[in-house]
PDB file of all heavy atoms in Angstrom:
ATOM      1  N   GLY A 539       9.746  13.942 -26.412  1.00 98.00           N
ATOM      2  CA  GLY A 539       9.793  12.813 -25.535  1.00 98.00           C
ATOM      3  C   GLY A 539      11.126  12.083 -25.458  1.00 98.00           C
ATOM      4  O   GLY A 539      11.259  10.894 -25.280  1.00 98.00           O
ATOM      5  N   LEU A 540      12.255  12.925 -25.491  1.00 98.00           N
ATOM      6  CA  LEU A 540      13.483  12.309 -25.235  1.00 98.00           C
ATOM      7  C   LEU A 540      14.402  13.181 -24.228  1.00 98.00           C
ATOM      8  O   LEU A 540      14.589  14.455 -24.435  1.00 98.00           O
ATOM      9  CB  LEU A 540      14.267  12.340 -26.634  1.00 98.00           C
ATOM     10  CG  LEU A 540      15.696  11.850 -26.513  1.00 98.00           C
ATOM     11  CD1 LEU A 540      15.738  10.254 -26.190  1.00 98.00           C
ATOM     12  CD2 LEU A 540      16.409  12.063 -27.863  1.00 98.00           C
ATOM     13  N   LEU A 541      15.125  12.559 -23.385  1.00 98.00           N
ATOM     14  CA  LEU A 541      15.898  13.317 -22.400  1.00 98.00           C
ATOM     15  C   LEU A 541      17.399  13.098 -22.924  1.00 98.00           C
ATOM     16  O   LEU A 541      17.827  12.012 -23.130  1.00 98.00           O
ATOM     17  CB  LEU A 541      15.860  12.786 -21.011  1.00 98.00           C
ATOM     18  CG  LEU A 541      14.415  12.752 -20.393  1.00 98.00           C
ATOM     19  CD1 LEU A 541      14.445  12.140 -18.999  1.00 98.00           C
ATOM     20  CD2 LEU A 541      13.847  14.253 -20.385  1.00 98.00           C
ATOM     21  N   VAL A 542      18.048  14.235 -23.177  1.00 98.00           N
ATOM     22  CA  VAL A 542      19.469  14.313 -23.610  1.00 98.00           C
ATOM     23  C   VAL A 542      20.162  15.408 -22.753  1.00 98.00           C
ATOM     24  O   VAL A 542      19.381  16.034 -21.901  1.00 98.00           O
ATOM     25  CB  VAL A 542      19.709  14.608 -25.038  1.00 98.00           C
ATOM     26  CG1 VAL A 542      19.212  13.401 -25.802  1.00 98.00           C
ATOM     27  CG2 VAL A 542      19.275  15.848 -25.508  1.00 98.00           C
ATOM     28  N   LEU A 543      21.483  15.503 -22.714  1.00 98.00           N
ATOM     29  CA  LEU A 543      22.144  16.422 -21.967  1.00 98.00           C
ATOM     30  C   LEU A 543      22.934  17.477 -22.827  1.00 98.00           C
ATOM     31  O   LEU A 543      23.099  17.161 -23.902  1.00 98.00           O
ATOM     32  CB  LEU A 543      23.239  15.703 -21.045  1.00 98.00           C
ATOM     33  CG  LEU A 543      22.688  14.713 -20.166  1.00 98.00           C
ATOM     34  CD1 LEU A 543      23.865  13.809 -19.694  1.00 98.00           C
ATOM     35  CD2 LEU A 543      21.999  15.349 -18.867  1.00 98.00           C
ATOM     36  N   GLN A 544      23.387  18.500 -22.184  1.00 98.00           N
ATOM     37  CA  GLN A 544      24.389  19.417 -22.810  1.00 98.00           C
ATOM     38  C   GLN A 544      25.747  19.214 -22.033  1.00 98.00           C
ATOM     39  O   GLN A 544      25.807  18.562 -20.992  1.00 98.00           O
ATOM     40  CB  GLN A 544      23.963  20.787 -22.872  1.00 98.00           C
ATOM     41  CG  GLN A 544      23.820  21.437 -21.554  1.00 98.00           C
ATOM     42  CD  GLN A 544      23.372  22.941 -21.744  1.00 98.00           C
ATOM     43  OE1 GLN A 544      22.171  23.218 -21.425  1.00 98.00           O
ATOM     44  NE2 GLN A 544      24.226  23.756 -22.232  1.00 98.00           N
ATOM     45  N   ALA A 545      26.918  19.505 -22.719  1.00 98.00           N
ATOM     46  CA  ALA A 545      28.248  19.412 -21.993  1.00 98.00           C
ATOM     47  C   ALA A 545      28.856  20.691 -22.608  1.00 98.00           C
ATOM     48  O   ALA A 545      29.323  20.755 -23.611  1.00 98.00           O
ATOM     49  CB  ALA A 545      28.934  18.122 -22.479  1.00 98.00           C
ATOM     50  N   SER A 546      28.650  21.830 -21.841  1.00 95.00           N
ATOM     51  CA  SER A 546      28.962  23.116 -22.327  1.00 95.00           C
ATOM     52  C   SER A 546      27.820  23.576 -23.322  1.00 95.00           C
ATOM     53  O   SER A 546      26.998  22.728 -23.693  1.00 95.00           O
ATOM     54  CB  SER A 546      30.289  23.229 -23.004  1.00 95.00           C
ATOM     55  OG  SER A 546      30.225  22.970 -24.419  1.00 95.00           O
ATOM     56  N   PRO A 547      27.755  24.890 -23.629  1.00 97.00           N
ATOM     57  CA  PRO A 547      26.544  25.280 -24.490  1.00 97.00           C
ATOM     58  C   PRO A 547      26.833  24.840 -25.926  1.00 97.00           C
ATOM     59  O   PRO A 547      25.782  24.925 -26.630  1.00 97.00           O
ATOM     60  CB  PRO A 547      26.707  26.789 -24.358  1.00 97.00           C
ATOM     61  CG  PRO A 547      27.603  27.059 -23.206  1.00 97.00           C
ATOM     62  CD  PRO A 547      28.409  25.965 -23.099  1.00 97.00           C
ATOM     63  N   ASP A 548      27.877  24.305 -26.302  1.00 98.00           N
ATOM     64  CA  ASP A 548      28.131  23.931 -27.719  1.00 98.00           C
ATOM     65  C   ASP A 548      28.164  22.420 -28.040  1.00 98.00           C
ATOM     66  O   ASP A 548      28.429  21.997 -29.162  1.00 98.00           O
ATOM     67  CB  ASP A 548      29.581  24.349 -28.014  1.00 98.00           C
ATOM     68  CG  ASP A 548      29.671  25.938 -27.924  1.00 98.00           C
ATOM     69  OD1 ASP A 548      28.619  26.611 -27.975  1.00 98.00           O
ATOM     70  OD2 ASP A 548      30.719  26.432 -27.634  1.00 98.00           O
ATOM     71  N   VAL A 549      27.803  21.683 -27.010  1.00 98.00           N
ATOM     72  CA  VAL A 549      27.826  20.165 -27.248  1.00 98.00           C
ATOM     73  C   VAL A 549      26.628  19.534 -26.696  1.00 98.00           C
ATOM     74  O   VAL A 549      26.269  19.728 -25.549  1.00 98.00           O
ATOM     75  CB  VAL A 549      29.025  19.586 -26.560  1.00 98.00           C
ATOM     76  CG1 VAL A 549      29.161  18.025 -26.830  1.00 98.00           C
ATOM     77  CG2 VAL A 549      30.467  20.090 -27.133  1.00 98.00           C
ATOM     78  N   VAL A 550      25.928  18.613 -27.461  1.00 98.00           N
ATOM     79  CA  VAL A 550      24.800  17.809 -27.007  1.00 98.00           C
ATOM     80  C   VAL A 550      25.301  16.542 -26.611  1.00 98.00           C
ATOM     81  O   VAL A 550      26.066  15.903 -27.344  1.00 98.00           O
ATOM     82  CB  VAL A 550      23.775  17.693 -28.074  1.00 98.00           C
ATOM     83  CG1 VAL A 550      22.641  16.781 -27.587  1.00 98.00           C
ATOM     84  CG2 VAL A 550      23.083  19.035 -28.528  1.00 98.00           C
ATOM     85  N   ARG A 551      25.077  16.136 -25.323  1.00 98.00           N
ATOM     86  CA  ARG A 551      25.686  14.894 -24.746  1.00 98.00           C
ATOM     87  C   ARG A 551      24.733  13.786 -24.607  1.00 98.00           C
ATOM     88  O   ARG A 551      23.579  13.969 -24.119  1.00 98.00           O
ATOM     89  CB  ARG A 551      26.370  15.289 -23.449  1.00 98.00           C
ATOM     90  CG  ARG A 551      26.974  14.154 -22.652  1.00 98.00           C
ATOM     91  CD  ARG A 551      27.638  14.520 -21.510  1.00 98.00           C
ATOM     92  NE  ARG A 551      27.123  15.736 -20.702  1.00 98.00           N
ATOM     93  CZ  ARG A 551      27.327  16.009 -19.469  1.00 98.00           C
ATOM     94  NH1 ARG A 551      28.155  15.253 -18.662  1.00 98.00           N
ATOM     95  NH2 ARG A 551      26.735  16.988 -18.965  1.00 98.00           N
ATOM     96  N   PHE A 552      25.107  12.639 -25.005  1.00 98.00           N
ATOM     97  CA  PHE A 552      24.354  11.376 -24.698  1.00 98.00           C
ATOM     98  C   PHE A 552      25.055  10.494 -23.686  1.00 98.00           C
ATOM     99  O   PHE A 552      26.284  10.310 -23.892  1.00 98.00           O
ATOM    100  CB  PHE A 552      24.144  10.639 -26.023  1.00 98.00           C
ATOM    101  CG  PHE A 552      23.261  11.364 -27.043  1.00 98.00           C
ATOM    102  CD1 PHE A 552      23.750  12.408 -27.780  1.00 98.00           C
ATOM    103  CD2 PHE A 552      21.893  10.875 -27.281  1.00 98.00           C
ATOM    104  CE1 PHE A 552      22.991  13.017 -28.760  1.00 98.00           C
ATOM    105  CE2 PHE A 552      21.091  11.604 -28.073  1.00 98.00           C
ATOM    106  CZ  PHE A 552      21.630  12.712 -28.922  1.00 98.00           C
ATOM    107  N   ALA A 553      24.400  10.185 -22.562  1.00 98.00           N
ATOM    108  CA  ALA A 553      24.877   9.261 -21.677  1.00 98.00           C
ATOM    109  C   ALA A 553      23.842   8.274 -21.222  1.00 98.00           C
ATOM    110  O   ALA A 553      23.433   8.192 -20.068  1.00 98.00           O
ATOM    111  CB  ALA A 553      25.460   9.987 -20.485  1.00 98.00           C
ATOM    112  N   PRO A 554      23.398   7.413 -22.196  1.00 98.00           N
ATOM    113  CA  PRO A 554      22.282   6.473 -21.877  1.00 98.00           C
ATOM    114  C   PRO A 554      22.673   5.324 -21.019  1.00 98.00           C
ATOM    115  O   PRO A 554      23.889   5.260 -20.697  1.00 98.00           O
ATOM    116  CB  PRO A 554      21.808   6.006 -23.277  1.00 98.00           C
ATOM    117  CG  PRO A 554      23.061   5.999 -24.074  1.00 98.00           C
ATOM    118  CD  PRO A 554      23.854   7.202 -23.543  1.00 98.00           C
ATOM    119  N   SER A 555      21.685   4.479 -20.645  1.00 98.00           N
ATOM    120  CA  SER A 555      22.059   3.211 -19.955  1.00 98.00           C
ATOM    121  C   SER A 555      22.851   2.462 -20.772  1.00 98.00           C
ATOM    122  O   SER A 555      22.779   2.423 -21.957  1.00 98.00           O
ATOM    123  CB  SER A 555      20.578   2.535 -19.742  1.00 98.00           C
ATOM    124  OG  SER A 555      20.803   1.112 -19.580  1.00 98.00           O
ATOM    125  N   LEU A 556      23.742   1.753 -20.136  1.00 98.00           N
ATOM    126  CA  LEU A 556      24.802   0.910 -20.861  1.00 98.00           C
ATOM    127  C   LEU A 556      23.975  -0.368 -21.402  1.00 98.00           C
ATOM    128  O   LEU A 556      24.531  -1.076 -22.284  1.00 98.00           O
ATOM    129  CB  LEU A 556      25.809   0.393 -19.932  1.00 98.00           C
ATOM    130  CG  LEU A 556      26.614   1.475 -19.116  1.00 98.00           C
ATOM    131  CD1 LEU A 556      27.788   0.819 -18.317  1.00 98.00           C
ATOM    132  CD2 LEU A 556      27.159   2.555 -20.178  1.00 98.00           C
ATOM    133  N   VAL A 557      22.816  -0.684 -20.969  1.00 98.00           N
ATOM    134  CA  VAL A 557      22.094  -1.786 -21.479  1.00 98.00           C
ATOM    135  C   VAL A 557      20.787  -1.316 -22.191  1.00 98.00           C
ATOM    136  O   VAL A 557      19.876  -2.066 -22.376  1.00 98.00           O
ATOM    137  CB  VAL A 557      21.696  -2.772 -20.396  1.00 98.00           C
ATOM    138  CG1 VAL A 557      23.032  -3.433 -19.790  1.00 98.00           C
ATOM    139  CG2 VAL A 557      20.919  -2.184 -19.201  1.00 98.00           C
ATOM    140  N   VAL A 558      20.883  -0.047 -22.724  1.00 98.00           N
ATOM    141  CA  VAL A 558      19.676   0.435 -23.499  1.00 98.00           C
ATOM    142  C   VAL A 558      19.389  -0.518 -24.651  1.00 98.00           C
ATOM    143  O   VAL A 558      20.286  -0.999 -25.411  1.00 98.00           O
ATOM    144  CB  VAL A 558      19.942   1.980 -23.980  1.00 98.00           C
ATOM    145  CG1 VAL A 558      21.207   2.004 -24.810  1.00 98.00           C
ATOM    146  CG2 VAL A 558      18.793   2.518 -24.782  1.00 98.00           C
ATOM    147  N   GLU A 559      18.117  -0.810 -24.939  1.00 98.00           N
ATOM    148  CA  GLU A 559      17.756  -1.794 -25.925  1.00 98.00           C
ATOM    149  C   GLU A 559      17.921  -1.123 -27.272  1.00 98.00           C
ATOM    150  O   GLU A 559      17.744   0.081 -27.517  1.00 98.00           O
ATOM    151  CB  GLU A 559      16.312  -2.233 -25.838  1.00 98.00           C
ATOM    152  CG  GLU A 559      15.931  -2.540 -24.360  1.00 98.00           C
ATOM    153  CD  GLU A 559      15.513  -4.011 -24.315  1.00 98.00           C
ATOM    154  OE1 GLU A 559      15.054  -4.523 -25.301  1.00 98.00           O
ATOM    155  OE2 GLU A 559      15.556  -4.699 -23.197  1.00 98.00           O
ATOM    156  N   ASP A 560      18.397  -1.988 -28.388  1.00 97.00           N
ATOM    157  CA  ASP A 560      18.682  -1.435 -29.563  1.00 97.00           C
ATOM    158  C   ASP A 560      17.351  -0.708 -30.174  1.00 97.00           C
ATOM    159  O   ASP A 560      17.468   0.370 -30.861  1.00 97.00           O
ATOM    160  CB  ASP A 560      19.096  -2.476 -30.575  1.00 97.00           C
ATOM    161  CG  ASP A 560      20.477  -2.974 -30.120  1.00 97.00           C
ATOM    162  OD1 ASP A 560      21.100  -2.444 -29.303  1.00 97.00           O
ATOM    163  OD2 ASP A 560      20.947  -4.023 -30.715  1.00 97.00           O
ATOM    164  N   ALA A 561      16.228  -1.288 -29.926  1.00 97.00           N
ATOM    165  CA  ALA A 561      14.881  -0.729 -30.433  1.00 97.00           C
ATOM    166  C   ALA A 561      14.650   0.660 -29.763  1.00 97.00           C
ATOM    167  O   ALA A 561      14.147   1.573 -30.463  1.00 97.00           O
ATOM    168  CB  ALA A 561      13.764  -1.635 -30.094  1.00 97.00           C
ATOM    169  N   ASP A 562      15.110   0.819 -28.489  1.00 98.00           N
ATOM    170  CA  ASP A 562      14.936   2.061 -27.810  1.00 98.00           C
ATOM    171  C   ASP A 562      15.912   3.037 -28.364  1.00 98.00           C
ATOM    172  O   ASP A 562      15.625   4.353 -28.414  1.00 98.00           O
ATOM    173  CB  ASP A 562      15.159   1.928 -26.326  1.00 98.00           C
ATOM    174  CG  ASP A 562      14.041   1.197 -25.622  1.00 98.00           C
ATOM    175  OD1 ASP A 562      12.929   1.021 -26.277  1.00 98.00           O
ATOM    176  OD2 ASP A 562      14.287   0.762 -24.496  1.00 98.00           O
ATOM    177  N   ILE A 563      17.140   2.638 -28.735  1.00 98.00           N
ATOM    178  CA  ILE A 563      18.094   3.506 -29.452  1.00 98.00           C
ATOM    179  C   ILE A 563      17.435   4.127 -30.766  1.00 98.00           C
ATOM    180  O   ILE A 563      17.397   5.349 -30.917  1.00 98.00           O
ATOM    181  CB  ILE A 563      19.458   2.859 -29.731  1.00 98.00           C
ATOM    182  CG1 ILE A 563      20.021   2.303 -28.501  1.00 98.00           C
ATOM    183  CG2 ILE A 563      20.283   3.837 -30.454  1.00 98.00           C
ATOM    184  CD1 ILE A 563      21.375   1.582 -28.689  1.00 98.00           C
ATOM    185  N   GLU A 564      16.844   3.207 -31.456  1.00 98.00           N
ATOM    186  CA  GLU A 564      16.227   3.810 -32.781  1.00 98.00           C
ATOM    187  C   GLU A 564      15.145   4.640 -32.435  1.00 98.00           C
ATOM    188  O   GLU A 564      15.012   5.692 -33.068  1.00 98.00           O
ATOM    189  CB  GLU A 564      15.742   2.431 -33.532  1.00 98.00           C
ATOM    190  CG  GLU A 564      16.772   1.667 -34.235  1.00 98.00           C
ATOM    191  CD  GLU A 564      17.786   2.508 -35.032  1.00 98.00           C
ATOM    192  OE1 GLU A 564      17.181   3.179 -35.930  1.00 98.00           O
ATOM    193  OE2 GLU A 564      18.923   2.449 -34.909  1.00 98.00           O
TER     194      GLU A 564
END
Side-chain angles (χ1 to χ4, degrees):
L540 177 70
L541 304 179
V542 295
L543 300 163
Q544 61 184 109
S546 88
D548 300 331
V549 178
V550 178
R551 173 175 38 161
F552 292 78
S555 156
L556 306 184
V557 294
V558 56
E559 311 241 340
D560 293 350
D562 288 344
I563 299 176
E564 286 307 309

